[in-house]
Amino acid sequence: MYARCRDVHDAANVFALMDKSDVVTWNSLIFGFADLGMNKSVLECFRKMQSMGIQNDQIKMSTVLPVCDLESGKTNTCLHSDLVSWNTMIEGYRIPGATLQLLVEMNKSGNYPNSITFTSVLSACSHLGLADKGLEVLHRMKKN
């Protein structure tokens, strides 16, 4: 509410009084900063939230990922990526080559695809007309 009224100081004061383990509290602050175009504050808040062990969710990631692109030009270097982060990036970046490259980078990072990951990759391959690549992914999924 305070962020919507452009009252960042009061928003920060209210946040200081709230439960820091509550994901809704963090989401509210992150969304408020994003609405105000305060990209650096979005990333600082997101990193602090991650350092405290608060789990990412797809709603938050859909706000943070575009900010990462604007600030760093490279999403996966901006985030301490977990499975939700990778799945959100894969689902969100339906650009030829990018989806499959993200899958490769995900594996290199030590995160392994789950059913959501494979569904997103196969859907992206279908929408992008990459049937051969989709079949490769499907065969790899059957092996694993």
Side-chain angles (χ1 to χ4, degrees), residues 23-34:
V23 71
V24 174
T25 302
W26 286 98
N27 283 349
S28 297
L29 192 62
I30 288 171
F31 295 153
F33 286 145

Side-chain angles (χ1 to χ4, degrees), residues 59-132:
I59 295 167
K60 184 184 312 95
M61 295 306 299
S62 67
T63 301
V64 173
L65 288 174
V67 172
C68 287
D69 277 349
L70 291 171
E71 291 297 311
S72 71
K74 203 166 187 197
T75 303
N76 58 347
T77 60
C78 178
L79 305 175
H80 298 270
S81 298
D82 60 8
L83 187 58
V84 171
S85 303
W86 283 109
N87 284 343
T88 303
M89 287 187 285
I90 288 168
E91 178 63 28
Y93 287 93
R94 292 187 175 203
I95 302 167
T99 300
L100 298 171
Q101 182 59 37
L102 284 170
L103 184 61
V104 169
E105 290 179 30
M106 177 184 184
N107 284 318
K108 286 180 183 176
S109 76
N111 287 283
Y112 298 100
N114 63 7
S115 60
I116 294 169
T117 313
F118 283 119
T119 300
S120 295
V121 170
L122 292 173
S123 176
C125 288
S126 172
H127 284 95
L128 296 169
L130 302 171
D132 291 342

Side-chain angles (χ1 to χ4, degrees), residues 29-43:
L29 192 62
I30 288 171
F31 295 153
F33 286 145
D35 281 346
L36 295 173
M38 299 175 66
N39 295 343
K40 290 193 187 314
S41 295
V42 168
L43 296 178

